[in-house]
């Protein structure tokens, strides 16, 4: 139970999404068996629709884990796409590289090893879409670094922003998560009120924030 949508709604929506097969399915099974938190099926589908409808070709991801979402996005992007993903954990990084090789996507998906707060400083160029899916308590720190790399009209997608419902109500709050919850509430309020962003928070998966970068006239 995600505490975001009713179980029957989630199950119904998931039932509409075509089942994955081959190595992608094996990655889903691996993630389940090894407690690796990968995107929920409806979030994967949401990203696929965004990518295809906005002719997204260059993607930046913060938080690779085993490479599942990076590969899902690369497949949706198709020929000529580039996904750059950042991961700090050695074991996750190695597993992601292995999965990218198995799917022969080395030319399209690159994983940069290190802390995103440092790696993001060295990345060059602009991206059509940025997917933020790393340490929830640090989204505020990732934000300016991500926005620097997002083109005007580009999309920023942030995952886990409703964090098992805890962000929306104290009734679900687990005491030891209070710092993350407070930071995320502040982050959501911030991105909802920035003049340079148009933002919507959606109750799918563990909560998604979708932001579009606007051209702001500073004159
Ligand atoms: C939720 S998982 C990513 C799942 C992946 N996007 C997917 O759906 O397949 C978050 C990952 O972010 C990594 N991470 C957390 N904070 C990070 C940071 N500051 N820099 C780089 N990686 C980070 C963690 O090691 C973890 O593997």
């Amino acid at each position: 139970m995600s505490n975001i949508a009713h179980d029957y709604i989630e199950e119904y929506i998931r039932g509409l999404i075509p089942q994955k097969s081959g190595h992608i399915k094996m990655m889903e099974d691996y993630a389940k068996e090894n407690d690796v938190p990968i995107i929920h099926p409806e979030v994967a589908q949401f990203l696929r629709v965004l990518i295809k409808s906005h002719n997204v070709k260059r993607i930046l991801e913060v938080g690779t884990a085993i490479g599942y979402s990076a590969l899902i996005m690369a497949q949706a992007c198709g020929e000529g796409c580039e996904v750059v993903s950042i991961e700090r954990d050695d074991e996750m990084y190695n597993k992601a590289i292995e999965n990218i090789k198995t799917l022969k996507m080395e030319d399209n998906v690159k994983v940069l090893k290190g802390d995103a707060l440092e790696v993001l400083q060295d990345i060059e160029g602009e991206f059509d879409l940025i997917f933020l899916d790393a340490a929830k308590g640090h989204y505020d720190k990732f934000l300016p670094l991500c926005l620097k790399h997002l083109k005007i009209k580009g999309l920023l997608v942030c995952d886990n922003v409703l964090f098992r419902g805890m962000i929306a109500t104290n009734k679900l709050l687990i005491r030891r998560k209070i710092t993350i919850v407070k930071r995320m509430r502040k982050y959501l309020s911030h991105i909802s009120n920035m003049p340079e962003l148009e933002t919507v928070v959606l109750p799918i998966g563990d909560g998604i924030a979708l932001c579009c970068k606007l051209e702001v006239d500073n004159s």
Side-chain angles (χ1 to χ4, degrees), residues 27 31 36-40 43 47 61-73 85-90 92-93 112-119 131-136 138-139 142 159-160:
M27 287 173 76
V36 179
I38 58 168
I39 46 170
H40 297 212
V43 174
L47 287 169
E61 176 180 65
V62 185
T64 320
I66 59 170
Y68 178 78
S69 52
L71 286 161
I72 288 276
M73 293 192 286
S85 188
I86 308 169
E87 176 56 56
R88 68 177 172 192
D89 181 88
D90 281 347
M92 288 291 135
Y93 171 84
L112 307 177
K113 192 156 77 129
D115 192 311
L117 290 174
E118 285 163 26
V119 177
F131 182 47
L132 186 48
D133 191 19
K136 287 179 279 295
H138 297 296
Y139 277 13
F142 295 133
D159 199 12
N160 306 109

Side-chain angles (χ1 to χ4, degrees), residues 60 62 116-117 120 130 132 135-150 155-158 186-194 196-197 199 209 211 213:
L60 174 64
V62 185
L117 290 174
L120 281 166
I130 300 182
L132 186 48
K136 287 179 279 295
H138 297 296
Y139 277 13
D140 59 334
K141 294 203 182 78
F142 295 133
L143 182 69
L145 297 165
C146 287
L147 289 182
K148 204 175 84 180
H149 294 295
L150 187 62
L155 301 169
L156 170 68
V157 182
C158 317
K186 204 168 156 196
Y187 176 75
L188 290 181
S189 170
H190 182 52
I191 59 172
S192 298
N193 291 288
M194 285 174 75
E196 55 269 62
L197 291 181
T199 297
C211 315
K213 183 173 171 179

